[in-house]
Short mmCIF file of all heavy atoms in Angstrom, two decimals:
data_model
loop_
_atom_site.label_atom_id
_atom_site.label_comp_id
_atom_site.label_asym_id
_atom_site.label_seq_id
_atom_site.Cartn_x
_atom_site.Cartn_y
_atom_site.Cartn_z
N ASP A 285 -65.66 19.41 -63.44
CA ASP A 285 -66.10 18.62 -62.35
C ASP A 285 -64.97 18.51 -61.20
O ASP A 285 -63.83 18.53 -61.51
CB ASP A 285 -66.38 17.12 -62.84
CG ASP A 285 -67.68 17.10 -63.63
OD1 ASP A 285 -68.54 17.93 -63.57
OD2 ASP A 285 -67.69 16.17 -64.41
N PHE A 286 -65.41 18.36 -60.01
CA PHE A 286 -64.50 18.12 -58.87
C PHE A 286 -63.54 19.25 -58.63
O PHE A 286 -62.46 19.05 -58.13
CB PHE A 286 -63.81 16.86 -59.01
CG PHE A 286 -64.71 15.69 -59.27
CD1 PHE A 286 -64.77 14.99 -60.48
CD2 PHE A 286 -65.65 15.23 -58.26
CE1 PHE A 286 -65.55 14.04 -60.70
CE2 PHE A 286 -66.45 14.11 -58.55
CZ PHE A 286 -66.45 13.47 -59.76
N ILE A 287 -63.93 20.53 -58.90
CA ILE A 287 -63.01 21.74 -58.76
C ILE A 287 -62.67 21.80 -57.26
O ILE A 287 -61.54 22.22 -56.95
CB ILE A 287 -63.61 22.97 -59.19
CG1 ILE A 287 -63.96 22.81 -60.69
CG2 ILE A 287 -62.80 24.12 -58.97
CD1 ILE A 287 -62.74 22.59 -61.59
N ARG A 288 -63.61 21.43 -56.43
CA ARG A 288 -63.28 21.57 -54.91
C ARG A 288 -62.07 20.72 -54.51
O ARG A 288 -61.40 21.01 -53.46
CB ARG A 288 -64.48 21.09 -54.14
CG ARG A 288 -65.65 22.01 -54.16
CD ARG A 288 -66.83 21.52 -53.48
NE ARG A 288 -67.94 22.38 -53.32
CZ ARG A 288 -68.86 22.60 -54.39
NH1 ARG A 288 -68.71 21.89 -55.47
NH2 ARG A 288 -69.84 23.42 -54.28
N GLN A 289 -61.64 19.72 -55.33
CA GLN A 289 -60.57 18.82 -54.96
C GLN A 289 -59.30 19.20 -55.60
O GLN A 289 -58.18 18.56 -55.33
CB GLN A 289 -60.90 17.39 -55.36
CG GLN A 289 -62.19 16.78 -54.72
CD GLN A 289 -62.48 15.36 -55.29
OE1 GLN A 289 -61.64 14.65 -55.82
NE2 GLN A 289 -63.73 14.95 -54.98
N TYR A 290 -59.29 20.23 -56.41
CA TYR A 290 -58.08 20.66 -57.09
C TYR A 290 -57.34 21.73 -56.17
O TYR A 290 -57.95 22.45 -55.44
CB TYR A 290 -58.48 21.33 -58.36
CG TYR A 290 -58.76 20.42 -59.56
CD1 TYR A 290 -59.87 19.60 -59.40
CD2 TYR A 290 -58.12 20.55 -60.78
CE1 TYR A 290 -60.13 18.74 -60.57
CE2 TYR A 290 -58.44 19.86 -61.79
CZ TYR A 290 -59.48 18.83 -61.73
OH TYR A 290 -59.76 18.08 -62.71
N THR A 291 -56.04 21.70 -56.42
CA THR A 291 -55.33 22.92 -56.00
C THR A 291 -55.32 24.00 -57.08
O THR A 291 -55.09 23.73 -58.22
CB THR A 291 -53.73 22.60 -55.68
OG1 THR A 291 -53.67 21.68 -54.56
CG2 THR A 291 -52.98 23.74 -55.53
N LEU A 292 -55.76 25.24 -56.63
CA LEU A 292 -55.92 26.32 -57.60
C LEU A 292 -54.82 27.30 -57.36
O LEU A 292 -54.45 27.52 -56.14
CB LEU A 292 -57.23 26.93 -57.43
CG LEU A 292 -58.56 26.03 -57.58
CD1 LEU A 292 -59.78 26.77 -57.33
CD2 LEU A 292 -58.49 25.29 -58.82
N ALA A 293 -54.27 27.94 -58.29
CA ALA A 293 -53.16 28.85 -58.15
C ALA A 293 -53.12 29.92 -59.15
O ALA A 293 -53.73 29.77 -60.17
CB ALA A 293 -51.84 28.02 -58.15
N TRP A 294 -52.41 30.95 -58.84
CA TRP A 294 -52.07 32.07 -59.79
C TRP A 294 -50.51 31.96 -59.99
O TRP A 294 -49.71 31.74 -59.16
CB TRP A 294 -52.34 33.43 -59.20
CG TRP A 294 -53.77 33.79 -59.15
CD1 TRP A 294 -54.64 33.73 -58.17
CD2 TRP A 294 -54.46 34.45 -60.32
NE1 TRP A 294 -56.00 34.16 -58.56
CE2 TRP A 294 -55.84 34.66 -59.87
CE3 TRP A 294 -54.03 34.80 -61.55
CZ2 TRP A 294 -56.74 35.25 -60.69
CZ3 TRP A 294 -55.07 35.37 -62.42
CH2 TRP A 294 -56.41 35.57 -61.99
N TYR A 295 -50.16 32.00 -61.32
CA TYR A 295 -48.77 32.09 -61.74
C TYR A 295 -48.70 33.36 -62.55
O TYR A 295 -49.66 33.99 -62.97
CB TYR A 295 -48.43 30.85 -62.70
CG TYR A 295 -48.27 29.64 -61.84
CD1 TYR A 295 -49.33 28.83 -61.35
CD2 TYR A 295 -46.88 29.11 -61.70
CE1 TYR A 295 -49.18 27.73 -60.64
CE2 TYR A 295 -46.82 27.96 -60.97
CZ TYR A 295 -47.80 27.24 -60.53
OH TYR A 295 -47.54 26.07 -59.84
N ARG A 296 -47.39 33.74 -62.80
CA ARG A 296 -47.30 35.00 -63.61
C ARG A 296 -45.99 34.76 -64.51
O ARG A 296 -45.04 34.05 -64.09
CB ARG A 296 -47.14 36.31 -62.80
CG ARG A 296 -45.82 36.41 -62.04
CD ARG A 296 -45.89 37.69 -61.15
NE ARG A 296 -44.58 37.93 -60.41
CZ ARG A 296 -44.39 38.93 -59.72
NH1 ARG A 296 -45.39 39.84 -59.37
NH2 ARG A 296 -43.20 39.09 -59.19
N GLN A 297 -45.97 35.48 -65.69
CA GLN A 297 -44.74 35.49 -66.52
C GLN A 297 -44.42 36.76 -67.09
O GLN A 297 -45.35 37.35 -67.86
CB GLN A 297 -45.01 34.33 -67.54
CG GLN A 297 -43.63 34.15 -68.40
CD GLN A 297 -43.79 32.89 -69.18
OE1 GLN A 297 -44.93 32.44 -69.59
NE2 GLN A 297 -42.73 32.35 -69.62
N ALA A 298 -43.32 37.30 -66.82
CA ALA A 298 -42.86 38.51 -67.37
C ALA A 298 -42.05 38.29 -68.64
O ALA A 298 -41.49 37.16 -68.71
CB ALA A 298 -42.06 39.34 -66.33
N PRO A 299 -41.91 39.15 -69.57
CA PRO A 299 -41.05 39.02 -70.74
C PRO A 299 -39.59 38.52 -70.34
O PRO A 299 -39.03 39.12 -69.49
CB PRO A 299 -41.03 40.35 -71.44
CG PRO A 299 -42.32 40.92 -71.01
CD PRO A 299 -42.59 40.53 -69.58
N GLY A 300 -39.19 37.45 -70.94
CA GLY A 300 -37.78 37.00 -70.69
C GLY A 300 -37.63 36.21 -69.46
O GLY A 300 -36.53 35.73 -69.09
N ASN A 301 -38.67 36.01 -68.65
CA ASN A 301 -38.63 35.22 -67.38
C ASN A 301 -39.42 34.02 -67.52
O ASN A 301 -40.18 33.68 -68.33
CB ASN A 301 -39.29 36.14 -66.32
CG ASN A 301 -38.42 37.27 -65.87
OD1 ASN A 301 -37.32 37.50 -66.42
ND2 ASN A 301 -38.93 38.15 -64.84
N GLN A 302 -39.10 33.08 -66.49
CA GLN A 302 -39.89 31.78 -66.43
C GLN A 302 -41.25 32.08 -65.77
O GLN A 302 -41.37 33.06 -65.01
CB GLN A 302 -39.06 30.79 -65.53
CG GLN A 302 -37.72 30.37 -66.09
CD GLN A 302 -37.93 29.52 -67.26
OE1 GLN A 302 -38.83 28.60 -67.24
NE2 GLN A 302 -37.11 29.70 -68.29
N ARG A 303 -42.18 31.23 -66.06
CA ARG A 303 -43.50 31.28 -65.32
C ARG A 303 -43.23 30.95 -64.02
O ARG A 303 -42.66 29.99 -63.58
CB ARG A 303 -44.44 30.42 -66.14
CG ARG A 303 -45.83 30.70 -65.57
CD ARG A 303 -46.91 30.02 -66.43
NE ARG A 303 -46.93 30.53 -67.76
CZ ARG A 303 -47.87 30.25 -68.73
NH1 ARG A 303 -48.87 29.25 -68.40
NH2 ARG A 303 -47.77 30.76 -69.90
N GLU A 304 -43.69 31.74 -63.06
CA GLU A 304 -43.50 31.58 -61.63
C GLU A 304 -44.68 31.56 -60.77
O GLU A 304 -45.72 32.25 -61.14
CB GLU A 304 -42.42 32.60 -61.04
CG GLU A 304 -43.00 34.07 -61.19
CD GLU A 304 -42.01 35.03 -60.59
OE1 GLU A 304 -41.03 34.64 -60.02
OE2 GLU A 304 -42.24 36.26 -60.84
N LEU A 305 -44.72 30.76 -59.74
CA LEU A 305 -45.91 30.75 -58.78
C LEU A 305 -46.03 32.16 -58.04
O LEU A 305 -45.11 32.75 -57.64
CB LEU A 305 -45.69 29.77 -57.78
CG LEU A 305 -46.83 29.65 -56.64
CD1 LEU A 305 -48.01 29.01 -57.22
CD2 LEU A 305 -46.32 28.86 -55.42
N VAL A 306 -47.28 32.64 -58.06
CA VAL A 306 -47.59 33.81 -57.17
C VAL A 306 -48.21 33.31 -55.94
O VAL A 306 -47.71 33.71 -54.81
CB VAL A 306 -48.64 34.70 -57.98
CG1 VAL A 306 -49.01 35.94 -57.14
CG2 VAL A 306 -47.99 35.24 -59.29
N ALA A 307 -49.27 32.50 -55.98
CA ALA A 307 -49.94 31.95 -54.75
C ALA A 307 -50.74 30.74 -55.16
O ALA A 307 -51.18 30.72 -56.34
CB ALA A 307 -50.69 33.07 -54.15
N ALA A 308 -50.99 29.92 -54.17
CA ALA A 308 -51.69 28.75 -54.34
C ALA A 308 -52.68 28.49 -53.17
O ALA A 308 -52.23 28.74 -52.04
CB ALA A 308 -50.90 27.55 -54.79
N VAL A 309 -53.82 27.96 -53.49
CA VAL A 309 -54.63 27.56 -52.34
C VAL A 309 -55.16 26.08 -52.70
O VAL A 309 -55.98 25.83 -53.63
CB VAL A 309 -55.85 28.54 -52.20
CG1 VAL A 309 -56.65 28.78 -53.57
CG2 VAL A 309 -56.83 28.00 -51.12
N PRO A 310 -54.65 25.14 -51.86
CA PRO A 310 -55.05 23.81 -52.16
C PRO A 310 -56.35 23.43 -51.44
O PRO A 310 -56.88 24.22 -50.56
CB PRO A 310 -53.89 23.02 -51.43
CG PRO A 310 -53.50 23.90 -50.40
CD PRO A 310 -53.61 25.28 -50.94
N SER A 311 -56.84 22.23 -51.76
CA SER A 311 -58.09 21.83 -51.04
C SER A 311 -57.76 21.37 -49.65
O SER A 311 -58.56 21.55 -48.64
CB SER A 311 -58.69 20.57 -51.72
OG SER A 311 -59.81 20.03 -51.09
N ILE A 312 -56.47 20.81 -49.39
CA ILE A 312 -56.00 20.50 -48.15
C ILE A 312 -54.65 21.12 -48.00
O ILE A 312 -53.71 20.98 -48.70
CB ILE A 312 -55.82 18.96 -47.87
CG1 ILE A 312 -57.26 18.33 -48.10
CG2 ILE A 312 -55.14 18.63 -46.67
CD1 ILE A 312 -57.27 16.79 -47.98
N GLY A 313 -54.47 21.90 -46.82
CA GLY A 313 -53.16 22.49 -46.53
C GLY A 313 -53.28 23.97 -46.52
O GLY A 313 -54.34 24.62 -46.81
N ASN A 314 -52.19 24.63 -46.21
CA ASN A 314 -52.10 26.06 -46.08
C ASN A 314 -51.96 26.75 -47.40
O ASN A 314 -51.51 26.16 -48.49
CB ASN A 314 -50.86 26.39 -45.22
CG ASN A 314 -50.89 25.96 -43.78
OD1 ASN A 314 -52.03 25.83 -43.23
ND2 ASN A 314 -49.89 25.62 -43.17
N HIS A 315 -52.36 27.98 -47.42
CA HIS A 315 -52.12 28.75 -48.60
C HIS A 315 -50.61 28.93 -48.85
O HIS A 315 -49.87 28.97 -47.81
CB HIS A 315 -52.82 30.17 -48.55
CG HIS A 315 -54.20 30.15 -48.51
ND1 HIS A 315 -55.03 29.18 -48.03
CD2 HIS A 315 -55.14 31.11 -48.92
CE1 HIS A 315 -56.28 29.44 -48.13
NE2 HIS A 315 -56.44 30.62 -48.60
N GLU A 316 -50.18 29.00 -50.12
CA GLU A 316 -48.79 29.11 -50.44
C GLU A 316 -48.68 30.48 -51.18
O GLU A 316 -49.43 30.85 -52.10
CB GLU A 316 -48.30 28.06 -51.36
CG GLU A 316 -48.36 26.66 -50.73
CD GLU A 316 -47.35 26.36 -49.76
OE1 GLU A 316 -46.29 27.08 -49.73
OE2 GLU A 316 -47.46 25.47 -48.86
N TYR A 317 -47.56 31.14 -50.74
CA TYR A 317 -47.31 32.48 -51.36
C TYR A 317 -45.75 32.53 -51.77
O TYR A 317 -44.91 32.08 -50.94
CB TYR A 317 -47.53 33.65 -50.43
CG TYR A 317 -49.03 33.89 -50.16
CD1 TYR A 317 -49.63 33.29 -49.07
CD2 TYR A 317 -49.76 34.73 -51.02
CE1 TYR A 317 -50.95 33.56 -48.80
CE2 TYR A 317 -51.10 34.90 -50.86
CZ TYR A 317 -51.71 34.34 -49.68
OH TYR A 317 -53.11 34.54 -49.45
N ALA A 318 -45.47 32.97 -52.90
CA ALA A 318 -44.21 33.38 -53.20
C ALA A 318 -43.65 34.49 -52.36
O ALA A 318 -44.44 35.32 -51.76
CB ALA A 318 -44.07 33.91 -54.78
N ASP A 319 -42.33 34.60 -52.12
CA ASP A 319 -41.84 35.54 -51.20
C ASP A 319 -42.22 36.93 -51.64
O ASP A 319 -42.52 37.80 -50.79
CB ASP A 319 -40.27 35.40 -51.14
CG ASP A 319 -39.83 34.26 -50.28
OD1 ASP A 319 -40.65 33.70 -49.60
OD2 ASP A 319 -38.64 33.89 -50.48
N PHE A 320 -42.23 37.31 -52.92
CA PHE A 320 -42.58 38.56 -53.36
C PHE A 320 -43.97 38.94 -53.10
O PHE A 320 -44.31 40.10 -53.07
CB PHE A 320 -42.23 38.75 -54.94
CG PHE A 320 -43.02 37.89 -55.80
CD1 PHE A 320 -44.32 38.25 -56.15
CD2 PHE A 320 -42.43 36.86 -56.35
CE1 PHE A 320 -45.00 37.42 -57.00
CE2 PHE A 320 -43.09 35.94 -57.19
CZ PHE A 320 -44.43 36.25 -57.52
N ALA A 321 -44.82 37.93 -52.90
CA ALA A 321 -46.25 38.19 -52.68
C ALA A 321 -46.67 38.27 -51.34
O ALA A 321 -47.75 38.94 -51.04
CB ALA A 321 -46.97 37.02 -53.40
N LYS A 322 -45.88 37.84 -50.37
CA LYS A 322 -46.21 37.74 -48.93
C LYS A 322 -46.38 39.13 -48.35
O LYS A 322 -45.56 39.98 -48.56
CB LYS A 322 -45.13 37.01 -48.18
CG LYS A 322 -45.07 35.56 -48.38
CD LYS A 322 -43.95 34.90 -47.68
CE LYS A 322 -43.81 33.35 -47.94
NZ LYS A 322 -42.80 32.76 -47.28
N GLY A 323 -47.56 39.33 -47.77
CA GLY A 323 -47.78 40.70 -47.12
C GLY A 323 -48.50 41.63 -48.13
O GLY A 323 -48.84 42.65 -47.66
N ARG A 324 -48.43 41.29 -49.45
CA ARG A 324 -48.99 42.27 -50.35
C ARG A 324 -50.20 41.66 -51.10
O ARG A 324 -51.12 42.37 -51.45
CB ARG A 324 -47.88 42.69 -51.42
CG ARG A 324 -46.80 43.39 -50.80
CD ARG A 324 -46.00 44.05 -51.90
NE ARG A 324 -45.42 43.05 -52.88
CZ ARG A 324 -45.52 43.08 -54.29
NH1 ARG A 324 -46.01 44.10 -54.85
NH2 ARG A 324 -44.93 42.19 -54.90
N PHE A 325 -50.15 40.39 -51.35
CA PHE A 325 -51.20 39.66 -52.18
C PHE A 325 -51.97 38.73 -51.35
O PHE A 325 -51.36 38.10 -50.32
CB PHE A 325 -50.62 38.91 -53.36
CG PHE A 325 -49.76 39.65 -54.36
CD1 PHE A 325 -49.22 39.01 -55.45
CD2 PHE A 325 -49.74 41.10 -54.29
CE1 PHE A 325 -48.49 39.80 -56.35
CE2 PHE A 325 -49.05 41.83 -55.21
CZ PHE A 325 -48.45 41.19 -56.25
#
């Protein structure tokens, strides 16, 4: 329920690395992108 009110996001985790944000799209506000994703994703 109420998915429209959630911030939804993609994260990723490579072996030996911390889980990191790829991109997020909130209900309110701008899309967020990790630096490595900008211009590509």
Side-chain angles (χ1 to χ4, degrees):
D285 294 331
F286 307 110
I287 301 300
R288 289 175 177 82
Q289 300 178 18
Y290 282 57
T291 291
L292 307 179
W294 284 96
Y295 287 74
R296 72 183 188 183
Q297 187 167 21
N301 289 1
Q302 297 289 319
R303 191 168 297 187
E304 62 182 349
L305 175 74
V306 178
V309 53
S311 181
I312 298 175
N314 296 326
H315 291 32
E316 298 285 340
Y317 290 94
D319 286 341
F320 63 78
K322 292 178 180 176
R324 296 193 299 132
F325 297 177

